[in-house]
Amino acid sequence: MPRSLWLLVMGMLINVTGASFLWPLNTIYIHDHLGKSLSMAGIVLMLNAGASVIGNLLGGVLFDKIGGYKSILLGILITLSALITLVFFQEWPLYIFLLVVIGLGSGIVFPAMYAMGGTVWPEGGRKAFNALYVAQNAGVALGSALGGLVASYSFSYIFIANAVMYVVFFLIAVFSYHKMSAEKAKQVSVLDEMSLVQNKAKFQALLTLCGGYLLCWVAYSQWASTISVYTQELHISLKQYSFLWTINGLIIVLGQPMINAFIKVAAKTLKVQILLGITIFIASFAIISVAQQFSHFLAAMIVLTIGEMFVWPAVPTIASVLAPKGREGFYQGVVNSTATGGRMIGPLIGGILADYYNMNILFYVLIGFLVISMFTTIAYNRKLNKAKHLDMAAGAVS
């Protein structure tokens, strides 16, 4: 890899490590330290995710208008201003506002970094994005492990550590990223793209697939919201809970080659790959529904992570196969928006079910969502045109 991409990878690692000090513990802090309900915690996390969606859209526009360097610096400065404020002021409702600002700023950074990764090493193809993806998961593992350790002493140290990591990220960006040039791409709005969708059957297939994808993310998001509080009620320490996310990141970073080898043998098509992954998701939540001690949650997280490695990469790949020529970006945008939507509404749905019913009811509902997502996966390409050129595309994903 070129030196410029290594610098982006390093920045991504530090960025996500800092963010991972806080995000797995947000619900615990809102519920246990600020005394708010799980429903309210879900609303706050939804606002944070919504701000990230706006930040992502804004980051893409800014990248095209002013370049990656200035876009990344702007996002870092917005986030850093909120993080520094959070070090000194953590009261309610200011906490909500600061989390929204953090979501906006970090949302600007991510698309700019990925876009720069593609431009500094265009001949690398997927390798540039894979390197950033691995760095992101390594940051999740490292930050979650350190976050639980730091929080066991004081939650205030979490905010300090997060701010310090972002200062380091800022310095790397200031002194390294200004030398990177990026070609400006044509900015196309979603409404423009909607009018250009030429194959309704393929687009309907994508929407059907993404309906199940959304439900998978609603279930997955509970691990950073309702399940985090549930572990505290069972007297599982913050160190242990954060260690679960460390395991998640390590398995993704180290286990991908083995999963890829298994998929080649056991999953001949992407549809089968997704169905296997969702089945593994269901097994994970079945374990959680009877979990009473840390070892149970550890087993459930390992199973969940394996399922994640089946499902998450497969859906964008199918979108790429379904996308008509010249519409690849729009189809990928639909997939990314679906995942963010699941992360937005998941904590709210989970918080309401946990507050008004109980955790077991929540787990049963989540398993029901996952079963529905299996049906949408089975049915998504049923209406595709049987013409030869479309049949070949459908065969690759059926």
Side-chain angles (χ1 to χ4, degrees):
M1 293 192 301
R3 179 176 179 273
S4 54
L5 185 60
W6 277 112
L7 291 170
L8 285 172
V9 167
M10 185 184 303
M12 179 67 79
L13 175 65
I14 294 173
N15 173 22
V16 177
T17 298
S20 298
F21 273 90
L22 181 59
W23 72 261
L25 305 175
N26 249 326
T27 302
I28 295 174
Y29 186 78
I30 294 170
H31 183 267
D32 293 351
H33 292 259
L34 297 179
K36 305 302 176 181
S37 68
L38 286 175
S39 300
M40 179 56 68
I43 291 173
V44 174
L45 295 181
M46 183 177 69
L47 292 173
N48 173 263
S52 294
V53 173
I54 296 173
N56 275 294
L57 297 174
L58 182 58
V61 173
L62 288 173
F63 179 83
D64 294 331
K65 298 293 185 182
I66 64 176
Y69 172 63
K70 293 180 180 178
S71 301
I72 291 172
L73 282 188
L74 177 61
I76 293 174
L77 288 173
I78 291 173
T79 306
L80 189 56
S81 64
L83 291 174
I84 292 174
T85 305
L86 201 56
V87 171
F88 301 100
F89 305 101
Q90 301 146 20
E91 295 79 13
W92 189 270
L94 180 61
Y95 192 81
I96 303 176
F97 173 75
L98 293 175
L99 280 188
V100 169
V101 174
I102 290 170
L104 177 67
S106 61
I108 292 173
V109 169
F110 277 95
M113 291 197 72
Y114 273 96
M116 283 185 72
T119 56
V120 299
W121 195 27
E123 65 275 11
R126 294 182 181 181
K127 293 179 182 178
F129 301 104
N130 287 341
L132 291 170
Y133 175 74
V134 170
Q136 190 172 342
N137 282 285
V140 169
L142 182 59
S144 299
L146 295 175
L149 178 63
V150 172
S152 65
Y153 293 99
S154 172
F155 247 100
S156 296
Y157 296 159
I158 286 288
F159 306 117
I160 295 173
N162 199 348
V164 168
M165 295 298 288
Y166 244 81
V167 169
V168 175
F169 181 32
F170 175 74
L171 293 175
I172 291 175
V174 167
F175 292 108
S176 302
Y177 295 171
H178 68 284
K179 299 177 182 178
M180 302 179 193
S181 61
E183 296 180 2
K184 293 186 177 181
K186 179 183 177 183
Q187 183 66 29
V188 185
S189 71
V190 171
L191 291 179
D192 290 338
E193 288 286 1
M194 284 290 289
S195 66
L196 295 173
V197 174
Q198 297 175 350
N199 193 303
K200 291 184 179 179
K202 285 189 173 184
F203 189 62
Q204 289 172 357
L206 179 69
L207 292 181
T208 302
L209 179 69
C210 284
Y213 189 52
L214 174 75
L215 294 177
C216 287
W217 269 106
V218 167
Y220 186 89
S221 67
Q222 302 309 314
W223 275 87
S225 53
T226 51
I227 292 176
S228 67
V229 175
Y230 184 49
T231 61
Q232 301 303 289
E233 294 174 356
L234 295 177
H235 306 293
I236 293 171
S237 70
L238 288 176
K239 287 183 182 179
Q240 290 175 313
Y241 171 71
S242 295
F243 179 70
L244 295 175
W245 288 107
T246 302
I247 292 296
N248 174 269
L250 289 175
I251 291 175
I252 291 173
V253 172
L254 301 177
Q256 195 69 56
M258 290 182 288
I259 293 295
N260 289 340
F262 178 81
I263 287 173
K264 288 180 181 179
V265 175
K268 299 299 183 181
T269 66
L270 290 167
K271 178 184 280 190
V272 173
Q273 180 178 331
I274 294 175
L275 290 173
L276 282 174
I278 296 173
T279 302
I280 296 170
F281 276 158
I282 292 172
S284 172
F285 283 97
I287 295 171
I288 283 292
S289 67
V290 296
Q292 293 295 318
Q293 58 192 42
F294 174 71
S295 60
H296 300 158
F297 285 92
L298 177 60
M301 175 57 86
I302 293 172
V303 174
L304 180 86
T305 305
I306 294 172
E308 169 187 352
M309 295 165 73
F310 276 79
V311 177
W312 293 168
V315 177
T317 305
I318 290 179
S320 179
V321 173
L322 290 174
K325 187 175 182 180
R327 304 291 177 263
E328 295 88 355
F330 174 58
Y331 275 55
Q332 292 298 333
V334 172
V335 171
N336 291 332
S337 298
T338 300
T340 303
R343 291 192 294 269
M344 282 179 61
I345 66 175
L348 179 60
I349 292 173
I352 292 173
L353 288 172
D355 282 340
Y356 290 94
Y357 299 97
N358 56 57
M359 292 300 294
N360 280 335
I361 293 296
L362 170 61
F363 296 140
Y364 297 150
V365 170
L366 296 178
I367 290 174
F369 284 168
L370 292 170
V371 171
I372 293 173
S373 71
M374 295 184 75
F375 283 105
T376 60
T377 302
I378 292 170
Y380 83 90
N381 62 340
R382 290 281 177 88
K383 295 182 179 180
L384 285 178
N385 193 308
K386 298 300 181 183
K388 184 176 180 180
H389 67 286
L390 289 180
D391 197 38
M392 291 174 64
V397 296
S398 62

